[in-house]
Structures are given as structure tokens and as C-alpha cells.
Amino acid sequence: MPTTIKAAVLGALKQPLTIETLQLDDPRPDEVLIEIRAAGICHSDQHYIDGSIQRPLPSVLGHEAAGIVLKAGAAVKSLAPGDHVVPVFCPECRECANCISGKTNVCLRFGAHNAETRLSHQGRPVHRSSLGTFATHTVLPERAVTKVRNDAAFDAVFYCGCGVTTGVGGRCF
């Protein structure tokens, strides 16, 4: 049964985001439902708003966040309800040639988890640009989520999913 959430939705380019009530599908076997506790805005989110990066609209932006796992699909092995987590903007697929060789920062399936929408508004799809963390909740594949210590402050670790990985990954090319 879908979860009712609130999200900041980009409905039109170069317009303010609006807060909407949406439906979010339950996690599939390899996914987790995360309650977002802190989120940041990245410059790339501005690119979605101004149209420099094209994505289908309406769309929920955001890819810097931290939260708590509420539900885990049956096949999820590394996460459980109650775990504190950071969604990862550039997860590794663990299958492509780059991931197998250890060059996980240049995964060939980068962003594959971003393409599918799990959101709807009044029966119509709402897309997700990046991880869809400008919302109270998001559903993501296990491989796109990293567990952090439960005593880590959400407002201090949310940027690790993009800002830190950008800096570290940029040094590895």
C-alpha cells in the first residue's frame, strides 16, 4: 500500500517548488523506505530548476539527505528498519566492468536508479530527479544507501551522499 508523503515538486522550469501531497510506492524486495530527517540543496538541483539539465516534469529534486530506514524489502541484507542512512548519489552497480575492477566512482550504470518514478499525484506519475530527497520519504535500492552510525547528526552527514563523494571521486579519475 503506498505511503502518503509531502514533497517539494518542480512543476515547471524556472518556477518555485511547491509542496504537494504525493503517493509513494512501497519498497520492492531490493529497496528500502527512508524517512528523510535532513536534506541539502546542491547546485545541480538549480540546474534542474533552470532547465540546464533536462528531466521530465513534474519532478521531486534532491540528492543530499540523511534519514532512517522505515521498511526494508525481503532481499535487503545490509539495512534494517531503524538504521540511520545516507542516500548515495553515485552508487556502484557491483556488476559493470568498472565496479568489478574497483573503479566504482565511474560506474557505467550511474544514475540507473534515478530513472524510474515511484511517485504519483492524483493518479498521475511524478518523476524523481536524482534521489527525490526533497520529500518526507523516499524509496531507493539498497545499493544506493549507506548505513551511518546512529549517533551521527543528520544535519552533519547529509552532504556525504554527494559533496564528499564528488570530492573523493573526482580525485580518482
Side-chain angles (χ1 to χ4, degrees):
M1 183 168 144
T3 301
T4 300
I5 69 166
K6 293 278 189 184
V9 177
L10 176 63
L13 296 179
K14 301 178 183 174
Q15 296 299 312
L17 305 179
T18 59
I19 304 301
E20 305 289 343
T21 300
L22 307 177
Q23 297 299 308
L24 175 63
D25 292 343
D26 281 338
R28 294 180 181 142
D30 66 336
E31 296 175 330
V32 293
L33 170 65
I34 302 167
E35 177 184 20
I36 302 297
R37 293 291 184 92
I41 185 166
C42 180
H43 195 271
S44 59
D45 293 310
Q46 183 60 43
H47 290 308
Y48 294 121
I49 294 168
D50 70 21
S52 300
I53 300 174
Q54 295 289 311
R55 296 295 288 198
L57 298 177
S59 189
V60 177
L61 309 179
H63 59 268
E64 293 183 337
I68 298 175
V69 173
L70 296 183
K71 291 182 188 176
V76 172
K77 294 179 177 38
S78 65
L79 301 167
D83 285 345
H84 291 207
V85 296
V86 171
V88 180
F89 181 63
C90 303
E92 57 193 67
C93 74
R94 303 176 187 156
E95 297 171 356
C96 74
N98 286 351
C99 286
I100 291 170
S101 73
K103 296 178 182 178
T104 59
N105 62 305
V106 285
C107 173
L108 297 173
R109 294 182 60 209
F110 167 76
H113 64 287
N114 295 337
E116 184 177 11
T117 186
R118 305 299 303 286
L119 300 160
S120 62
H121 181 255
Q122 298 177 344
R124 287 181 253 167
V126 175
H127 303 279
R128 182 174 70 192
S129 295
S130 302
L131 302 173
T133 58
F134 288 180
T136 57
H137 300 77
T138 193
V139 169
L140 295 170
E142 176 182 19
R143 69 179 186 81
V145 179
T146 298
K147 185 176 175 181
V148 296
R149 294 178 4 188
N150 280 3
D151 64 347
F154 295 115
D155 63 352
V157 297
F158 73 85
Y159 65 90
C160 293
C162 175
V164 171
T165 56
T166 298
V168 173
R171 292 187 58 218
C172 299
F173 281 102

